[in-house]
Amino acid sequence: MIAKLPRWVLFGGIVLSFIGGMVNAAGYLSFRHQAVTHMTGTTTLLGIGVAQGDVGDMLKFGVVALAFLLGAALGGFIVRDSALRLGRRYGVALSVESVLLFTAVPLLVHDRDAGLWLAAAACGLQNAMAGTYSGAVVRTTHVSGLYTDLGMYLGQWFGGVKMDARRVRLYITLVVGFFAGGVADALIYPQVGQYGLLLPAALTGLAGITYSIYRHHHRAVPAAS
């Protein structure tokens, strides 16, 4: 059970899930109408493409899945740990994600598939970076697992099992952040189109800077931890 939920975990979780929601909405609203923050639908469409012998779909969906995988590999290489804790290289990972998203914007504006590949790689990196906190799986680019866990906890609660309130709070925070990100991108898309992706790109970079400052303060003032 999570004994303590630091503010940096909640703050980082809602910011990153908001970014994930915005990026996914941008993918759906783009010329390809393609999810980029999770690979469930993409893998299904890839399978359909293989079954139908559609080389175009095999390439389109296969490269998006590969980009996500390579982004996750990059995140694992940078952070080198599956547990959320201060001292990990999150600032570096967030900076790389920010660069990937900024680079994706002009490509998406000009209807280039490479924009979706870079966005998918950014999401794979972010998802791998999040990892776990005190046994709670922290996923900030999709919510299927979060809904599953919340439903499981609810069922256990009805069955008389004590819920881990802090874990439930974390998961609800992530779901709300992802939902809000989707709403935000859908609201600004009619005015700015794919340029709306500049907002999550900037937020990612800002999150990296904020984390670096917080980590420095945390290390300089041990009593505040």
Side-chain angles (χ1 to χ4, degrees):
M1 181 178 291
I2 299 175
K4 183 179 180 182
L5 203 57
R7 284 180 295 178
W8 71 270
V9 172
L10 280 177
F11 177 77
I14 196 167
V15 169
L16 291 179
S17 59
F18 179 85
I19 290 168
M22 284 202 73
V23 174
N24 204 42
Y28 271 116
L29 294 170
S30 73
F31 68 104
R32 285 294 192 186
H33 306 293
Q34 171 75 46
V36 293
T37 65
H38 57 281
M39 293 296 105
T40 304
T42 299
T43 303
T44 299
L45 292 171
L46 175 60
I48 293 172
V50 170
Q52 295 178 344
D54 190 326
V55 177
D57 277 357
M58 282 189 275
L59 288 174
K60 178 174 67 175
F61 299 121
V63 174
V64 171
L66 178 62
F68 188 95
L69 176 66
L70 292 176
L74 180 58
F77 175 78
I78 294 173
V79 177
R80 303 184 187 183
D81 200 345
S82 61
L84 278 171
R85 61 189 183 199
L86 287 173
R88 298 295 88 192
R89 300 169 66 189
Y90 301 126
V92 176
L94 288 167
S95 297
V96 173
E97 181 183 355
S98 180
V99 170
L100 289 172
L101 291 175
F102 272 119
T103 307
V105 172
L107 294 169
L108 288 171
V109 169
H110 292 93
D111 296 344
R112 302 290 178 83
D113 283 340
L116 291 176
W117 304 341
L118 290 175
C123 291
L125 189 159
Q126 177 178 310
N127 213 36
M129 176 188 69
T132 62
Y133 183 78
S134 291
V137 178
V138 181
R139 291 291 178 257
T140 58
T141 65
H142 59 270
V143 293
S144 297
L146 300 177
Y147 277 118
T148 300
D149 288 341
L150 286 171
M152 178 185 68
Y153 293 141
L154 183 62
Q156 291 175 346
W157 181 65
F158 281 131
V161 178
K162 184 178 179 180
M163 283 196 304
D164 185 342
R166 293 181 178 86
R167 187 172 296 187
V168 169
R169 180 186 176 195
L170 173 61
Y171 288 164
I172 290 176
T173 297
L174 297 175
V175 170
V176 170
F178 192 89
F179 171 78
V183 171
D185 191 77
L187 288 175
I188 66 176
Y189 188 86
Q191 286 75 41
V192 300
Q194 293 300 330
Y195 285 111
L197 202 59
L198 291 172
L199 177 57
L203 283 175
T204 307
L206 181 62
I209 294 172
T210 302
Y211 171 78
S212 297
I213 294 172
Y214 180 87
R215 179 189 170 192
H216 176 76
H217 176 74
H218 183 88
R219 293 175 64 184
V221 189
S225 60

